[in-house]
Amino acid sequence: MNSAPRILVFDSGVGGLSILEALRQGPGGCDFIYASDNAAFPYGLKTQSFLIERVDNVLKTLIDQTQANIIVVACNTASTVVLSSIRDHFKIPVVGVVPAIKPAAALSSTGMIGLLGTPGTVDRDYTQTLIQDFADDCEVIKVGSSRLVEIAEQSLRGIPPDKIEIGEILAPLFADDKLDTIVLACTHFPLIIQALKDASPRELNWVDSADAIARRVESLIAKRHQQQNLSKPSSVQAIFTEDSDEIDSLRKALSTFGCDDISFCEGIK
Ligand code: DGL
């Protein structure tokens, strides 16, 4: 394929920016389209059937409008449910972001790891299968929090996270002092990593999926877009599924991710 990589990075909210950041460190010459389904945010409390239908509809509209040629579902909550159906429905490559349980299990010296995600992600069969396949010899403590997602959203709007509140959310992970590794199984959480570290009682390994996703996308680009101009700077635009005052308070943060071009997507059923 001779066209430039047009990469749709999709999440319910701002979380996928943590994945976009890793992708922006890769080859140049990419057109990134950051898409937030803010109309249906948050995903973490939605049913699986809602998410399957919703993500399919939103992606159809976004692909029609943007002509993206790679989809990155930068959301664990969605990826752990929708990947197989959207791979059936779209002809372009779909890269999913799922909890980094395998590297976390490999990194833990104590065999006790924490899984910090949305309530949806930590309860999924998909996640349970990852644990059985890659962390069978570990004890996995799960914490599902939608509040932490909101805290990350607010943080990008200039409202600093509250250390005491975060400490209370994380407390179940520290009931035993054996736990040494935490999987950030929600793309929102790397955006507040310093606040998470500050609220933790000791040094830990924090593991997320961003670098692995960036490597996967880079290999797709190398295979499918050999003619791209690597020296050309990449471009970034953001698309939201609903116009709202909330977007204005995000402009400054979006700009730090290279994104000053913000628009809204019409026509989603
Ligand atoms: N960023 C999403 C994830 O990785 C979840 C946010 C939400 O609940 O909408 O799971």
Side-chain angles (χ1 to χ4, degrees), residues 145-167:
S145 172
S146 266
R147 177 64 193 141
L148 210 48
V149 175
E150 277 171 41
I151 292 172
E153 289 277 332
Q154 288 170 353
S155 153
L156 262 70
R157 291 171 170 87
I159 301 167
D162 181 90
K163 184 175 165 181
I164 296 176
E165 186 182 12
I166 294 187

mmCIF file of all heavy atoms in Angstrom, residues 145-167:
data_model
loop_
_atom_site.group_PDB
_atom_site.id
_atom_site.type_symbol
_atom_site.label_atom_id
_atom_site.label_comp_id
_atom_site.label_asym_id
_atom_site.label_seq_id
_atom_site.Cartn_x
_atom_site.Cartn_y
_atom_site.Cartn_z
ATOM 1 N N SER A 145 -12.302 0.313 39.023
ATOM 2 C CA SER A 145 -12.725 1.637 39.493
ATOM 3 C C SER A 145 -13.084 2.559 38.327
ATOM 4 O O SER A 145 -12.242 2.863 37.483
ATOM 5 C CB SER A 145 -11.615 2.285 40.327
ATOM 6 O OG SER A 145 -11.949 3.630 40.624
ATOM 7 N N SER A 146 -14.331 3.004 38.325
ATOM 8 C CA SER A 146 -14.733 4.016 37.344
ATOM 9 C C SER A 146 -14.381 5.409 37.833
ATOM 10 O O SER A 146 -14.187 6.331 37.043
ATOM 11 C CB SER A 146 -16.242 3.960 37.096
ATOM 12 O OG SER A 146 -16.491 3.146 36.001
ATOM 13 N N ARG A 147 -14.299 5.534 39.155
ATOM 14 C CA ARG A 147 -13.943 6.836 39.733
ATOM 15 C C ARG A 147 -12.529 7.259 39.286
ATOM 16 O O ARG A 147 -12.283 8.413 38.982
ATOM 17 C CB ARG A 147 -14.052 6.745 41.260
ATOM 18 C CG ARG A 147 -13.640 7.986 42.007
ATOM 19 C CD ARG A 147 -14.518 9.209 41.724
ATOM 20 N NE ARG A 147 -13.884 10.414 42.220
ATOM 21 C CZ ARG A 147 -13.900 11.594 41.605
ATOM 22 N NH1 ARG A 147 -14.556 11.767 40.477
ATOM 23 N NH2 ARG A 147 -13.283 12.629 42.118
ATOM 24 N N LEU A 148 -11.635 6.272 39.228
ATOM 25 C CA LEU A 148 -10.264 6.580 38.814
ATOM 26 C C LEU A 148 -10.232 7.081 37.352
ATOM 27 O O LEU A 148 -9.397 7.905 36.984
ATOM 28 C CB LEU A 148 -9.399 5.328 38.981
ATOM 29 C CG LEU A 148 -7.922 5.498 39.299
ATOM 30 C CD1 LEU A 148 -7.660 6.475 40.428
ATOM 31 C CD2 LEU A 148 -7.311 4.123 39.633
ATOM 32 N N VAL A 149 -11.146 6.559 36.551
ATOM 33 C CA VAL A 149 -11.256 7.033 35.157
ATOM 34 C C VAL A 149 -11.666 8.510 35.156
ATOM 35 O O VAL A 149 -11.086 9.334 34.442
ATOM 36 C CB VAL A 149 -12.285 6.179 34.371
ATOM 37 C CG1 VAL A 149 -12.486 6.734 32.964
ATOM 38 C CG2 VAL A 149 -11.865 4.711 34.325
ATOM 39 N N GLU A 150 -12.662 8.835 35.990
ATOM 40 C CA GLU A 150 -13.104 10.244 36.080
ATOM 41 C C GLU A 150 -11.972 11.140 36.572
ATOM 42 O O GLU A 150 -11.799 12.262 36.096
ATOM 43 C CB GLU A 150 -14.240 10.379 37.096
ATOM 44 C CG GLU A 150 -15.612 10.059 36.569
ATOM 45 C CD GLU A 150 -16.617 10.023 37.721
ATOM 46 O OE1 GLU A 150 -16.540 10.887 38.614
ATOM 47 O OE2 GLU A 150 -17.437 9.098 37.729
ATOM 48 N N ILE A 151 -11.219 10.636 37.539
ATOM 49 C CA ILE A 151 -10.106 11.435 38.085
ATOM 50 C C ILE A 151 -9.101 11.746 36.970
ATOM 51 O O ILE A 151 -8.596 12.867 36.855
ATOM 52 C CB ILE A 151 -9.444 10.696 39.271
ATOM 53 C CG1 ILE A 151 -10.413 10.650 40.461
ATOM 54 C CG2 ILE A 151 -8.121 11.349 39.662
ATOM 55 C CD1 ILE A 151 -9.963 9.784 41.634
ATOM 56 N N ALA A 152 -8.830 10.757 36.117
ATOM 57 C CA ALA A 152 -7.899 10.983 34.998
ATOM 58 C C ALA A 152 -8.476 11.997 34.013
ATOM 59 O O ALA A 152 -7.762 12.868 33.508
ATOM 60 C CB ALA A 152 -7.594 9.666 34.289
ATOM 61 N N GLU A 153 -9.784 11.884 33.731
ATOM 62 C CA GLU A 153 -10.433 12.859 32.840
ATOM 63 C C GLU A 153 -10.286 14.266 33.416
ATOM 64 O O GLU A 153 -9.950 15.216 32.709
ATOM 65 C CB GLU A 153 -11.933 12.530 32.678
ATOM 66 C CG GLU A 153 -12.237 11.284 31.856
ATOM 67 C CD GLU A 153 -12.246 11.536 30.351
ATOM 68 O OE1 GLU A 153 -12.545 12.654 29.914
ATOM 69 O OE2 GLU A 153 -11.930 10.577 29.600
ATOM 70 N N GLN A 154 -10.555 14.394 34.722
ATOM 71 C CA GLN A 154 -10.486 15.723 35.355
ATOM 72 C C GLN A 154 -9.061 16.258 35.347
ATOM 73 O O GLN A 154 -8.824 17.445 35.160
ATOM 74 C CB GLN A 154 -10.997 15.641 36.794
ATOM 75 C CG GLN A 154 -12.502 15.460 36.859
ATOM 76 C CD GLN A 154 -12.978 15.132 38.270
ATOM 77 O OE1 GLN A 154 -12.171 14.908 39.174
ATOM 78 N NE2 GLN A 154 -14.280 15.104 38.454
ATOM 79 N N SER A 155 -8.121 15.343 35.561
ATOM 80 C CA SER A 155 -6.729 15.767 35.622
ATOM 81 C C SER A 155 -6.314 16.438 34.301
ATOM 82 O O SER A 155 -5.608 17.450 34.298
ATOM 83 C CB SER A 155 -5.880 14.550 35.979
ATOM 84 O OG SER A 155 -4.609 14.681 35.496
ATOM 85 N N LEU A 156 -6.769 15.880 33.166
ATOM 86 C CA LEU A 156 -6.442 16.515 31.882
ATOM 87 C C LEU A 156 -7.193 17.821 31.676
ATOM 88 O O LEU A 156 -6.864 18.604 30.789
ATOM 89 C CB LEU A 156 -6.701 15.556 30.709
ATOM 90 C CG LEU A 156 -5.412 14.878 30.248
ATOM 91 C CD1 LEU A 156 -4.906 13.888 31.260
ATOM 92 C CD2 LEU A 156 -5.540 14.275 28.891
ATOM 93 N N ARG A 157 -8.205 18.053 32.508
ATOM 94 C CA ARG A 157 -8.936 19.337 32.440
ATOM 95 C C ARG A 157 -8.431 20.299 33.519
ATOM 96 O O ARG A 157 -9.095 21.268 33.849
ATOM 97 C CB ARG A 157 -10.433 19.081 32.578
ATOM 98 C CG ARG A 157 -11.021 18.366 31.377
ATOM 99 C CD ARG A 157 -12.455 17.924 31.603
ATOM 100 N NE ARG A 157 -13.062 17.447 30.380
ATOM 101 C CZ ARG A 157 -13.002 16.194 29.916
ATOM 102 N NH1 ARG A 157 -12.335 15.273 30.584
ATOM 103 N NH2 ARG A 157 -13.591 15.858 28.785
ATOM 104 N N GLY A 158 -7.280 19.957 34.103
ATOM 105 C CA GLY A 158 -6.634 20.882 35.036
ATOM 106 C C GLY A 158 -7.049 20.714 36.485
ATOM 107 O O GLY A 158 -6.689 21.534 37.327
ATOM 108 N N ILE A 159 -7.815 19.663 36.817
ATOM 109 C CA ILE A 159 -8.202 19.451 38.222
ATOM 110 C C ILE A 159 -7.281 18.372 38.803
ATOM 111 O O ILE A 159 -7.337 17.205 38.390
ATOM 112 C CB ILE A 159 -9.679 18.998 38.326
ATOM 113 C CG1 ILE A 159 -10.568 20.081 37.705
ATOM 114 C CG2 ILE A 159 -10.073 18.698 39.780
ATOM 115 C CD1 ILE A 159 -11.994 19.647 37.455
ATOM 116 N N PRO A 160 -6.394 18.736 39.737
ATOM 117 C CA PRO A 160 -5.392 17.769 40.185
ATOM 118 C C PRO A 160 -6.007 16.611 40.984
ATOM 119 O O PRO A 160 -6.963 16.820 41.731
ATOM 120 C CB PRO A 160 -4.451 18.591 41.082
ATOM 121 C CG PRO A 160 -5.046 19.938 41.212
ATOM 122 C CD PRO A 160 -6.271 20.047 40.372
ATOM 123 N N PRO A 161 -5.468 15.406 40.813
ATOM 124 C CA PRO A 161 -5.970 14.249 41.554
ATOM 125 C C PRO A 161 -5.764 14.406 43.057
ATOM 126 O O PRO A 161 -4.794 15.032 43.490
ATOM 127 C CB PRO A 161 -5.120 13.089 41.030
ATOM 128 C CG PRO A 161 -4.500 13.570 39.773
ATOM 129 C CD PRO A 161 -4.392 15.056 39.886
ATOM 130 N N ASP A 162 -6.683 13.848 43.831
ATOM 131 C CA ASP A 162 -6.602 13.916 45.288
ATOM 132 C C ASP A 162 -5.914 12.647 45.800
ATOM 133 O O ASP A 162 -6.388 11.535 45.600
ATOM 134 C CB ASP A 162 -8.032 14.023 45.854
ATOM 135 C CG ASP A 162 -8.025 14.123 47.363
ATOM 136 O OD1 ASP A 162 -7.964 15.251 47.858
ATOM 137 O OD2 ASP A 162 -8.045 13.061 48.035
ATOM 138 N N LYS A 163 -4.773 12.851 46.469
ATOM 139 C CA LYS A 163 -3.935 11.719 46.880
ATOM 140 C C LYS A 163 -4.696 10.780 47.841
ATOM 141 O O LYS A 163 -4.596 9.560 47.747
ATOM 142 C CB LYS A 163 -2.676 12.276 47.546
ATOM 143 C CG LYS A 163 -1.680 11.234 47.929
ATOM 144 C CD LYS A 163 -0.417 11.889 48.464
ATOM 145 C CE LYS A 163 0.431 10.859 49.178
ATOM 146 N NZ LYS A 163 1.642 11.426 49.739
ATOM 147 N N ILE A 164 -5.450 11.378 48.764
ATOM 148 C CA ILE A 164 -6.156 10.545 49.752
ATOM 149 C C ILE A 164 -7.220 9.692 49.061
ATOM 150 O O ILE A 164 -7.350 8.494 49.310
ATOM 151 C CB ILE A 164 -6.772 11.425 50.862
ATOM 152 C CG1 ILE A 164 -5.628 12.097 51.618
ATOM 153 C CG2 ILE A 164 -7.668 10.613 51.805
ATOM 154 C CD1 ILE A 164 -6.043 13.069 52.680
ATOM 155 N N GLU A 165 -7.951 10.313 48.147
ATOM 156 C CA GLU A 165 -8.995 9.552 47.439
ATOM 157 C C GLU A 165 -8.363 8.412 46.627
ATOM 158 O O GLU A 165 -8.860 7.280 46.633
ATOM 159 C CB GLU A 165 -9.795 10.491 46.523
ATOM 160 C CG GLU A 165 -10.973 9.771 45.905
ATOM 161 C CD GLU A 165 -11.792 10.627 44.942
ATOM 162 O OE1 GLU A 165 -11.344 11.722 44.549
ATOM 163 O OE2 GLU A 165 -12.888 10.149 44.566
ATOM 164 N N ILE A 166 -7.267 8.704 45.945
ATOM 165 C CA ILE A 166 -6.615 7.637 45.154
ATOM 166 C C ILE A 166 -6.108 6.542 46.088
ATOM 167 O O ILE A 166 -6.252 5.347 45.802
ATOM 168 C CB ILE A 166 -5.474 8.212 44.290
ATOM 169 C CG1 ILE A 166 -6.081 9.143 43.237
ATOM 170 C CG2 ILE A 166 -4.679 7.101 43.619
ATOM 171 C CD1 ILE A 166 -5.112 9.650 42.212
ATOM 172 N N GLY A 167 -5.556 6.934 47.228
ATOM 173 C CA GLY A 167 -5.066 5.953 48.196
ATOM 174 C C GLY A 167 -6.197 5.005 48.639
ATOM 175 O O GLY A 167 -5.986 3.791 48.761
#
